Amino acid sequence: MSKKNRNLFPKPKVNTKSNIFERIIDEEREIPIRRVIPPDLPVLYSDGLVVQNRNGMFTLYFFQAKHPLAFTTEEVNNIKSVDTVCVAQILLTPKQMEENIKAMTANLERLRAETSKLKEESKVDEEPENSKEDI
């Protein structure tokens, strides 16, 4: 096989200047990656998380508690345990885990800043107008 034939189908190169999920660079052109969220994708609630690191990969297990119905003190006292059911498990490379932690940390910091700002604004709004002293 000649050199010319080997280069007909070159391996795509990853653009190292941006996130690996953003685009793949071919020797001829950039191929954008589209994130598609199917409209019928179920939204799941998780109130528990287990993270395992095995064989150089991370597995995230998301759990949801299945609270039993209890209406009386006697029913509550008869509860022996509460099940938590794994609703999703996600396998990540260390690099993906690092990028996800950075993204989640940035989002959490932004939420805290917004919440703090809203609390400060509500404190200002709650001050009664008559609280000013007459001089």
Side-chain angles (χ1 to χ4, degrees):
M1 186 181 262
S2 72
K3 273 189 174 181
K4 188 176 183 181
N5 288 341
R6 275 190 235 142
N7 291 331
L8 285 177
F9 303 102
K11 288 173 82 174
K13 296 179 184 174
V14 174
N15 182 351
T16 57
K17 293 181 181 177
S18 67
N19 187 324
I20 190 171
F21 299 109
E22 295 299 324
R23 54 188 72 241
I24 296 173
I25 298 178
D26 186 321
E27 287 186 11
E28 302 293 320
R29 64 189 177 103
E30 289 188 8
I31 304 170
I33 304 295
R34 293 180 0 175
R35 290 179 177 89
V36 178
I37 301 173
D40 59 343
L41 182 69
V43 175
L44 302 172
Y45 173 78
S46 173
D47 53 11
L49 172 66
V50 172
V51 179
Q52 289 185 338
N53 180 354
R54 289 191 191 156
N55 302 322
M57 297 292 282
F58 287 94
T59 305
L60 308 179
Y61 298 93
F62 293 89
F63 289 86
Q64 184 181 81
K66 299 296 182 187
H67 301 281
L69 288 177
F71 298 104
T72 66
T73 303
E74 182 181 347
E75 289 174 330
V76 171
N77 291 336
N78 287 331
I79 297 172
K80 303 294 183 220
S81 65
V82 174
D83 292 337
T84 59
V85 178
C86 186
V87 294
Q89 65 178 344
I90 310 294
L91 187 66
L92 300 169
T93 66
K95 181 69 176 163
Q96 289 170 316
M97 184 71 156
E98 184 178 343
E99 293 297 320
N100 288 342
I101 289 171
K102 285 178 186 177
M104 288 187 280
T105 301
N107 273 277
L108 183 58
E109 288 172 359
R110 199 166 34 250
L111 174 68
R112 286 179 175 158
E114 290 170 5
T115 302
S116 177
K117 184 179 176 183
L118 288 173
K119 283 182 183 178
E120 290 300 317
E121 289 173 358
S122 69
K123 284 181 185 176
V124 171
D125 292 342
E126 290 175 4
E127 291 181 17
E129 289 183 34
N130 298 334
S131 67
K132 299 176 185 170
E133 291 184 29
D134 291 332
I135 300 179

